[in-house]
């Protein structure tokens, strides 16, 4: 009797149970596989049969168990598990620790002498697969072995290969890696000296060459500037090392600097460029005090048009940076300037700003990014008829000319997701094992970054040094300078009542979404305060963007009736764990995570929790309590949760939402218990 697997449409995988063994916990799944049995006498006849296969997946384990699981008992390579492990292991181990465990395991298999043929074959297969894992590791993550100047990992690998597997190429590859890294280290040190001479040579060549008139912002074509921003963003994004984006690597509270500088330089370089763009948007609008509102509006309108060009190029990074600059307090308060804009520019700005709305965890920007990630060109839409016609014409030209656009995402979205995962899910289980389920969730985000990096390869723009010379020449301003310049341009003379009346006659500005209160320093990382180093935009100018941790005060608006946070500082925020209790029988162990801001009141937080658990109903039917080590703290109905919560024990805040009826029942139960205790003591 023979059999053939079916097309798999009826295959079902279901969770069965959890299995524990020393040093590891597994999730066990049962997979129903259907197949056809074929008659030996008549191959055209058969029966539909099925069997159940047992699949074990590592949920948590010791470091030794996690490393051993890279290879199955039969010596097979679980590519999915290997990819997740190699992408995330730095959050719980060093490269040298992992390498030493791999070598220890290989040696144990070598010594495990047995007469059992099947076991002996399995051991040999495991050894072969362990060699494959090391090869994949070296090819995929070469920087893990770049531990300058000792290169201890490579030297350990070279010595091991020489003694135990001399017939493999690992020894030679390790030696070649060391030689390559040493050459690159020497080249980098020489490069610093060469760079100093290159600056002199460049100055000399500029003197000798034909004089080029410095560019003025209004004279630069919108598409040229947009292409240069996309060129820079794409180059930086392609260099981002995905595992640098992990919350535990780049944003953890105890993050330290390594020997070579910042732990996540590829991420910080992208953040720095984001800041540079936003600061120049603000600077070009504010720097000329005597400019008429109509002329200043042309600068503002030009940035909106450049933002639209970036949208057409699917560059969401600089697009977000420009929107953040335009939504900054010092620019947004210029009522006369905004009133001078044509209606289609206001509509366009609003549509671009809506892309990054914080509604439903930025669902619009997420859906748009995934929809257009590998598309040939963007799917532009607009409610404005003039913009509709322009978008249609643009689309036709792309199709006729065979133009294909790449994609550059706004990295802050992924940094936020990974920070939330890192904060909301514990690194270890209650029994002290490494929580590998957390790493799988992180890998899902890293896989999206890798996919988009391949899309960023499509761009073919060339660097225009003339435009970057202008870009670097723009003097940017610090927070106080922006504030002062904005108030000089449109001073405050009227009281609140008169000002409102006058502003109505000047026209209206586009609505300013909640997400406009951004921290430029954290790459516009919405609702996150985990990045706490300062970045200096230019040494010559000495402009330093202060981190969230360095200051949390807000800048008072020049408009006497408004208070808006400074664009250089995000509101105080923190990630908190929450759970929803629908009654006494609810599962009190299921937690989710939300971002708590210093402007959130009780009803706002309750709404967030209800949304997280897909529950409906007015917030007034529920109450919010903070779970403490010695009981619960009831948050007042009209209280500011951020300042009302207890922070004395230093632990991660945990809140619970339950119905008022259930809370009242609990309160009465406790009162009856206290009365009984008092009567008993008497």
């Amino acid at each position: 009797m023979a059999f053939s697997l079916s097309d798999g449409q009826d295959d079902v995988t279901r969770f069965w149970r959890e299995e524990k063994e020393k040093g590891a916990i597994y999730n066990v799944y049962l997979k129903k596989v259907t197949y056809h049995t074929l008659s030996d006498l008549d191959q055209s006849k058969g029966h539909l049969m099925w069997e159940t296969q047992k699949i074990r997946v590592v949920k948590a384990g010791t470091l030794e168990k996690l490393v051993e699981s890279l290879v199955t008992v039969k010596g097979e390579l679980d590519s999915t598990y290997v990819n997740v492990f190699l992408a995330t292991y730095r959050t719980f181990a060093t490269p040298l620790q992992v390498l030493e465990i791999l070598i220890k395991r290989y040696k144990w298999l070598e010594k495990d002498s047995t007469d059992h043929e099947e076991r002996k074959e399995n051991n040999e297969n495991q050894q072969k697969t362990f060699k494959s894992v090391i090869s994949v590791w070296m090819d995929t993550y070469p920087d893990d072995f770049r531990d300058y100047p000792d290169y201890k990992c490579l030297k350990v690998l070279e010595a091991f290969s020489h003694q135990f597997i001399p017939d493999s190429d690992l020894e030679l590859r390790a030696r070649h890696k060391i030689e390559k890294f040493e050459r690159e280290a020497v080249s980098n040190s020489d490069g610093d000296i060469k760079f100093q001479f290159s600056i002199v040579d460049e100055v000399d060549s500029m003197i000798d060459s034909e004089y080029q008139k410095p560019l003025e912002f209004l004279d630069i074509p919108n598409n040229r500037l947009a292409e240069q921003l996309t060129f820079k963003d794409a180059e930086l994004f392609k260099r981002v090392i995905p595992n640098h984006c992990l919350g535990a690597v780049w944003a953890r509270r105890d993050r330290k600097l390594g020997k070579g500088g910042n732990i996540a330089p590829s991420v910080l370089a992208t953040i720095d460029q984001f800041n540079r763009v936003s600061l120049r948007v603000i600077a070009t609008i504010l720097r000329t005090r005597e400019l008429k509102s109509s002329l200043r509006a042309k600068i503002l309108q030009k940035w909106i048009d450049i933002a639209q060009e970036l949208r057409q190029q699917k560059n969401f990074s600089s697009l977000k940076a420009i929107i953040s600059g335009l939504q900054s307090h010092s620019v947004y308060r210029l009522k006369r300037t905004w009133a001078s804009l044509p209606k289609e520019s206001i509509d366009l700005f609003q549509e671009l700003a809506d892309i990054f709305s914080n509604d439903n965890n930025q669902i619009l920007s997420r859906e748009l990014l995934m929809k257009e990630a590998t598309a040939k060109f963007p799917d532009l839409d607009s409610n404005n008829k003039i913009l509709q016609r322009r978008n249609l014409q643009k689309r036709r030209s792309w199709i006729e000319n065979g133009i294909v656009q790449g994609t550059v995402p706004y990295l802050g979205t992924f940094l936020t997701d990974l920070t939330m995962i890192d904060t909301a899910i514990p690194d270890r289980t209650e029994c002290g094992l490494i929580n590998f389920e957390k790493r799988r969730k992180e890998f899902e985000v890293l896989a999206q970054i890798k996919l988009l990096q391949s899309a960023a390869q499509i761009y073919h723009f060339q660097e225009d040094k003339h435009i970057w010379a202008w870009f670097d020449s723009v003097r940017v301003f610090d927070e106080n300078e922006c504030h002062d310049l904005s108030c000089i341009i449109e001073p405050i003379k009227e009281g609140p009542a008169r000002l409102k009346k006058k502003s109505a006659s000047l026209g209206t500005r586009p609505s300013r979404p909640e997400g406009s209160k951004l921290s430029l320093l954290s790459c516009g990382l919405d609702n996150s305060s985990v990045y706490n180093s300062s970045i200096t935009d230019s040494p010559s100018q000495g402009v330093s963007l202060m981190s969230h941790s360095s200051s949390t005060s807000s800048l008072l608006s020049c408009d006497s009736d408004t208070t808006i946070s400074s664009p250089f500082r995000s509101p105080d925020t923190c990630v908190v764990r929450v759970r929803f209790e629908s009654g006494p029988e609810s599962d009190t162990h299921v937690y989710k995570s939300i971002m708590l801001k210093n402007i959130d009141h009780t009803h706002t937080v309750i709404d967030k929790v209800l949304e997280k658990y897909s529950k409906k109903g007015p917030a007034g039917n529920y109450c919010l309590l903070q779970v403490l080590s010695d009981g619960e703290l009831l948050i007042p109905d009209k209280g500011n949760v951020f300042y009302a919560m207890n922070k004395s024990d230093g632990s991660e805040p945990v809140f619970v939402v339950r119905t008022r009826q259930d809370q009242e029942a609990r309160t009465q139960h406790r009162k009856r218990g206290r009365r009984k205790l008092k009567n008993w003591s008497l």
Side-chain angles (χ1 to χ4, degrees):
M1 185 78 68
F3 71 89
S4 63
L5 292 177
S6 71
D7 58 7
Q9 293 180 352
D10 297 326
D11 294 355
V12 177
T13 302
R14 289 193 178 93
F15 175 75
W16 181 33
R17 67 181 184 184
E18 189 176 271
E19 290 184 354
K20 296 182 180 180
E21 62 181 44
K22 186 177 180 181
I25 301 174
Y26 298 89
N27 281 336
V28 182
Y29 297 87
L30 297 180
K31 183 176 182 180
K32 182 180 177 182
V33 181
T34 56
Y35 59 90
H36 286 93
T37 60
L38 304 177
S39 172
D40 294 334
L41 298 177
D42 187 354
Q43 293 292 318
S44 64
K45 295 182 179 179
H47 302 281
L48 184 63
M49 304 290 288
W50 61 270
E51 68 177 10
T52 301
Q53 298 178 350
K54 177 181 174 182
I55 302 173
R56 291 212 313 175
V57 177
V58 178
K59 180 180 180 181
T62 61
L63 180 57
E64 290 74 13
K65 279 290 185 181
L66 294 182
V67 174
E68 289 176 15
S69 299
L70 291 168
V71 179
T72 66
V73 175
K74 294 183 178 181
E76 298 168 344
L77 182 69
D78 184 347
S79 59
T80 301
Y81 179 82
V82 170
N83 287 334
V84 176
F85 181 90
L86 291 180
T88 62
Y89 79 87
R90 296 155 206 82
T91 58
F92 53 81
T94 65
L96 184 59
Q97 286 176 317
V98 173
L99 181 61
E100 288 177 340
I101 295 173
L102 280 169
I103 291 174
K104 181 181 177 181
R105 179 65 177 171
Y106 188 96
K107 291 178 179 179
W108 183 88
L109 291 169
E110 186 82 14
K111 294 178 181 179
D112 184 28
S113 58
T114 177
D115 295 331
H116 195 283
E117 283 299 322
E118 184 178 357
R119 181 173 173 180
K120 186 176 181 180
E121 183 182 355
N122 288 342
N123 287 353
E124 291 175 354
N125 289 336
Q126 286 187 59
Q127 288 179 301
K128 292 178 182 177
T129 308
F130 272 122
K131 288 188 291 185
S132 299
V133 169
I134 294 175
S135 295
V136 170
W137 184 12
M138 292 177 68
D139 292 337
T140 312
Y141 300 97
D143 285 342
D144 287 2
F145 300 87
R146 198 190 295 268
D147 44 348
Y148 176 85
D150 299 327
Y151 305 111
K152 189 171 182 180
C153 283
L154 289 173
K155 289 179 179 178
V156 168
L157 180 59
E158 183 183 14
F160 160 73
S161 302
H162 178 76
Q163 182 178 356
F164 289 91
I165 42 178
D167 57 330
S168 75
D169 64 341
L170 282 180
E171 179 185 1
L172 186 61
R173 292 185 64 192
R175 189 182 307 124
H176 284 174
K177 284 280 186 187
I178 294 174
E179 294 171 355
K180 178 185 176 184
F181 290 159
E182 287 177 341
R183 286 196 303 270
E184 289 176 353
V186 172
S187 177
N188 289 337
S189 60
D190 291 344
D192 294 337
I193 300 174
K194 292 178 181 178
F195 177 71
Q196 297 176 15
F197 286 108
S198 68
I199 294 177
V200 177
D201 294 340
E202 187 174 343
V203 172
D204 291 341
S205 65
M206 289 174 63
I207 295 173
D208 296 337
S209 62
E210 184 179 350
Y211 172 75
Q212 281 189 313
K213 181 181 177 181
L215 292 174
E216 291 293 335
F217 176 61
L218 291 175
D219 295 334
I220 302 175
N222 297 339
N223 65 326
R224 276 185 64 195
L225 183 51
E227 286 175 359
Q228 288 305 296
L229 293 176
T230 299
F231 165 80
K232 179 72 72 175
D233 290 337
E235 289 299 308
L236 290 172
F237 180 62
K238 286 186 290 186
R239 296 175 193 167
V240 167
I241 300 173
N243 61 74
H244 282 183
C245 299
L246 290 169
V249 174
W250 91 278
R252 177 154 279 182
R253 292 177 294 277
D254 59 353
R255 183 169 61 90
K256 299 178 181 178
L257 295 179
K259 292 181 180 179
N262 290 318
I263 283 179
S266 62
V267 176
L268 300 186
T270 303
I271 293 173
D272 186 29
Q273 175 62 14
F274 181 96
N275 290 340
R276 283 159 51 83
V277 174
S278 285
L279 288 172
R280 279 155 181 78
V281 171
I282 299 170
T284 51
I285 295 172
L286 298 180
R287 64 179 176 177
T288 308
R289 305 179 184 181
E290 299 80 13
L291 214 58
K292 292 182 180 180
S293 296
S294 57
L295 294 177
R296 198 179 309 279
K298 288 186 177 180
I299 299 175
L300 198 155
Q301 182 180 2
K302 185 177 180 67
W303 278 118
I304 295 174
D305 292 339
I306 293 171
Q308 175 65 355
E309 290 283 343
L310 292 167
R311 171 70 187 94
Q312 293 170 357
Q313 295 171 14
K314 297 195 293 180
N315 179 356
F316 294 93
S317 183
S318 281
L319 171 58
K320 171 77 168 178
I322 292 175
I323 296 300
S324 298
L326 296 177
Q327 290 177 336
S328 67
H329 161 65
S330 55
V331 173
Y332 185 77
R333 65 167 298 278
L334 300 177
K335 295 182 175 67
R336 295 182 181 88
T337 302
W338 284 97
S340 301
L341 284 176
K343 182 180 183 303
E344 56 265 27
S345 293
I346 293 288
D347 292 342
L348 178 58
F349 172 78
Q350 194 65 63
E351 290 175 2
L352 295 173
D354 287 344
I355 292 174
F356 303 101
S357 169
N358 280 339
D359 294 345
N360 295 323
N361 193 23
Q362 305 171 16
I363 190 171
L364 179 59
S365 62
R366 292 173 187 274
E367 289 180 346
L368 196 60
L369 186 60
M370 289 301 103
K371 179 181 179 182
E372 299 185 2
T374 55
K376 291 183 178 180
F377 35 75
D379 184 14
L380 302 176
D381 194 11
S382 175
N383 294 323
N384 185 292
K385 292 184 177 179
I386 297 177
L387 296 176
Q388 284 178 358
R389 287 196 295 270
R390 290 180 186 172
N391 292 339
L392 185 60
Q393 292 171 358
K394 198 77 175 180
R395 186 182 182 89
R396 286 173 179 168
S397 68
W398 290 332
I399 296 173
E400 291 172 359
N401 299 316
I403 295 176
V404 178
Q405 300 286 10
T407 304
V408 177
Y410 165 52
L411 192 62
T413 301
F414 300 108
L415 298 180
T416 301
D417 290 346
L418 289 167
T419 301
M420 291 281 283
I421 292 172
D422 181 54
T423 306
I425 305 176
D427 288 331
R428 293 184 177 267
T429 63
E430 293 180 356
C431 54
L433 300 178
I434 298 169
N435 185 357
F436 202 72
E437 282 298 296
K438 175 177 181 176
R439 307 309 162 196
R440 287 192 173 89
K441 292 184 181 296
E442 291 176 328
F443 180 75
E444 291 175 5
V445 181
L446 299 184
Q448 294 179 42
I449 296 176
K450 292 276 284 185
L451 173 66
L452 290 165
Q453 283 181 318
S454 64
Q457 302 283 348
I458 298 175
Y459 293 112
H460 296 291
F461 298 134
Q462 301 297 317
E463 184 178 19
D464 187 332
K465 293 184 178 180
H466 202 194
I467 288 182
W468 287 109
W470 164 82
F471 186 88
D472 293 331
S473 70
V474 177
R475 186 202 187 279
V476 296
F477 308 109
D478 64 23
E479 176 184 349
N480 292 326
E481 288 175 318
C482 290
H483 174 86
D484 294 341
L485 285 170
S486 182
C487 290
I488 290 172
I489 292 168
E490 291 193 17
I492 306 305
K493 297 180 181 179
E494 302 89 346
R498 291 180 60 194
L499 183 61
K500 288 181 180 178
K501 183 177 180 180
K502 188 171 182 179
S503 66
S505 64
L506 293 171
T508 59
R509 296 168 291 177
S511 61
R512 190 170 190 245
E514 181 183 354
S516 63
K517 301 179 182 179
L518 298 172
S519 165
L520 301 183
L521 180 62
S522 60
C523 194
L525 181 57
D526 299 324
N527 305 330
S528 180
S529 59
V530 292
Y531 180 63
N532 53 16
S533 296
S534 62
I535 295 178
T536 302
D537 182 79
S538 171
S540 61
Q541 297 165 3
V543 179
S544 177
L545 300 184
M546 300 305 296
S547 69
H548 169 82
S549 61
S550 63
S551 176
T552 55
S553 61
S554 7
L555 178 67
L556 287 176
S557 165
C558 294
D559 301 338
S560 56
D561 60 327
T562 312
T563 301
I564 301 177
S565 298
S566 159
F568 299 97
R569 298 170 182 162
S570 65
D572 278 343
T573 60
C574 66
V575 177
V576 298
R577 296 171 67 196
V578 296
R579 72 172 185 256
F580 176 83
E581 291 184 1
S582 56
E585 302 300 324
S586 64
D587 185 359
T588 59
H589 300 288
V590 178
Y591 288 90
K592 296 193 178 184
S593 180
I594 64 170
M595 193 68 75
L596 179 65
K597 297 183 288 186
N598 69 344
I599 57 174
D600 287 343
H601 287 73
T602 303
H603 66 90
T604 306
V605 177
I606 291 175
D607 285 336
K608 288 182 179 181
V609 176
L610 293 177
E611 182 181 352
K612 275 281 183 180
Y613 285 85
S614 301
K615 302 292 182 181
K616 295 182 179 180
N621 292 348
Y622 300 89
C623 56
L624 179 70
L625 303 96
Q626 183 182 358
V627 180
L628 304 175
S629 57
D630 56 351
E632 295 178 340
L633 172 66
L634 180 64
I635 306 298
D637 291 344
K638 297 183 179 181
N640 183 306
V641 180
F642 186 90
Y643 297 107
M645 67 179 177
N646 188 322
K647 307 173 187 176
S648 59
D649 60 358
S651 60
E652 182 184 14
V654 177
F655 291 88
V656 59
V657 170
R658 63 173 66 105
T659 63
R660 293 186 179 277
Q661 183 179 0
D662 185 36
Q663 178 61 19
E664 180 63 24
R666 289 170 181 261
T667 303
Q668 294 299 327
H669 179 74
R670 283 195 295 269
K671 287 181 179 179
R672 288 194 296 269
R674 284 196 293 269
R675 284 198 295 268
K676 289 181 180 178
L677 182 60
K678 182 178 180 180
N679 294 334
W680 179 82
S681 62
L682 292 174

